Amino acid sequence: MTQSDISQKKIGIFDSGLGGLNVMQAISTCLPHENITYFGDTAHLPYGNKSIELITTYVLESIDFLLSQDIKLLIIACHTACAACLEIIRSIINVPIIAIIEQAIEEIMETKPNESIVVLGTRATIASGTYQKQLYTKLPDVSLSCIACPLFVPLIEEGYFDHPIIQLAVTEYLSPLTEESIDAILLGCTHYPLIQSLIRQCMGNKIPLLDPASRCAQTTRQFLSKLDLLNQQTDPAKYQFFVSQDPERFSTLSKRFFHHPIEKTSPLIMTQVHKKREKNLISLLELKNKLNLSIAKRGHR
């Protein structure tokens, strides 16, 4: 296969649901000729209230599907998935990966914080300690507050972007911070940019809200350019969308994330994925061993 053939392959984007469309929007704007296949695991969201083991199983099954689509690059747009099993994923697949959580760390570092950072994320992301470990390593003197916001994703996925009920949730989670001196707030979930206006109402307009989607798009362009894998075709990009449940609802709600028309969303019934389990990336026993090893390493850090 020639370099030209590889460059025409698709970019694969994975998220637990709608949120990754925020990243896809940034990438499609930055790289308008790149073909993209998107998979949202809508049958199993929210990931944030599930165990690392269960999240890892869902993520591997979803990524296995994207790999079957002959992609040249995988974007993991789900912070929770990255926090749960990024090391495992990288150890078992040979497609390059750009992880949103690493882009978020870089986004924080660019703000050159000198006092306080707030990270908003799902319960699983915050409990993993990933942001705490990496930020304290890079910024040992920073004051860090990591806030789990478990209601945000399910409410957003229900379409309650500006409903009074999500306003109450924002106030409940963030009001204790309103008197604090804060340099920046990281939106540590790809769903959260949709409610950034509500977050600003609570926290004010002076504190930067960091969304790593644009940085992820720039990193994608730089990576593909460095390897001479940018799609040189001038034809309009082709976008494919797959979800594990309720494609009609996905298509309806996606308009708030993705500004291009989504003509069709294909349902990928998860039983079809389960039938491929024996051909999956690794056996469940190998997964369990790798997962236990990864968790043990975290405990010693």
Side-chain angles (χ1 to χ4, degrees), residues 69-290:
Q69 300 299 297
D70 200 25
I71 60 176
K72 62 182 177 182
L73 174 66
L74 173 64
I75 310 292
I76 303 179
C78 177
H79 293 251
T80 303
C82 291
C85 54
L86 180 57
E87 293 177 7
I88 292 174
I89 297 168
R90 280 207 165 116
S91 72
I92 59 178
I93 75 170
N94 56 10
V95 170
I97 294 172
I98 293 177
I100 192 67
I101 206 165
E102 294 172 340
Q103 303 308 304
I105 295 292
E106 292 300 316
E107 191 76 10
I108 290 174
M109 296 302 297
E110 192 169 277
T111 67
K112 298 180 174 61
N114 53 33
E115 287 187 15
S116 177
I117 291 290
V118 171
V119 175
L120 308 181
T122 68
R123 184 181 288 121
T125 296
I126 301 304
S128 75
T130 300
Y131 276 113
Q132 296 91 317
K133 176 184 178 296
Q134 294 199 35
L135 288 173
Y136 280 132
T137 298
K138 296 175 182 293
L139 302 166
D141 297 325
V142 76
S143 173
L144 179 63
S145 298
C146 294
I147 310 297
C149 308
L151 290 178
F152 284 178
V153 170
L155 289 173
I156 291 169
E157 288 279 346
E158 285 296 324
Y160 294 147
F161 307 114
D162 49 13
H163 192 278
I165 194 171
I166 200 165
Q167 291 178 324
L168 286 173
V170 170
T171 301
E172 174 68 22
Y173 294 140
L174 302 187
S175 59
L177 301 172
T178 54
E179 301 301 320
E180 302 290 331
S181 175
I182 298 170
D183 290 318
I185 298 174
L186 173 70
L187 304 178
C189 172
T190 47
H191 288 75
Y192 295 177
L194 263 186
I195 58 168
Q196 60 182 311
S197 63
L198 299 181
I199 295 173
R200 289 194 186 281
Q201 287 178 26
C202 183
M203 300 301 297
N205 294 319
K206 293 183 179 180
I207 302 173
L209 300 184
L210 307 182
D211 175 9
S214 293
R215 178 175 292 275
C216 186
Q218 294 296 332
T219 300
T220 300
R221 182 172 64 181
Q222 292 166 8
F223 178 84
L224 293 176
S225 178
K226 183 178 179 180
L227 296 181
D228 197 23
L229 289 179
L230 288 171
N231 191 347
Q232 302 300 325
Q233 300 292 315
T234 57
D235 296 334
K238 296 178 181 178
Y239 303 138
Q240 292 179 298
F241 301 89
F242 296 89
V243 294
S244 49
Q245 183 172 281
D246 206 349
E248 293 80 10
R249 183 173 183 77
F250 178 90
S251 295
T252 299
L253 293 176
S254 65
K255 297 174 184 177
R256 296 293 292 266
F257 284 91
F258 194 61
H259 301 154
H260 298 279
I262 296 180
E263 297 177 358
K264 180 181 179 183
T265 303
S266 302
L268 177 68
I269 306 303
M270 291 310 290
T271 52
Q272 296 175 345
V273 179
H274 294 320
K275 289 177 182 178
K276 296 169 61 179
R277 183 170 282 176
E278 63 185 34
K279 298 179 181 179
N280 208 343
L281 300 171
I282 55 174
S283 70
L284 293 180
L285 178 59
E286 289 172 330
L287 169 59
K288 184 174 183 297
N289 290 338
K290 285 180 176 288

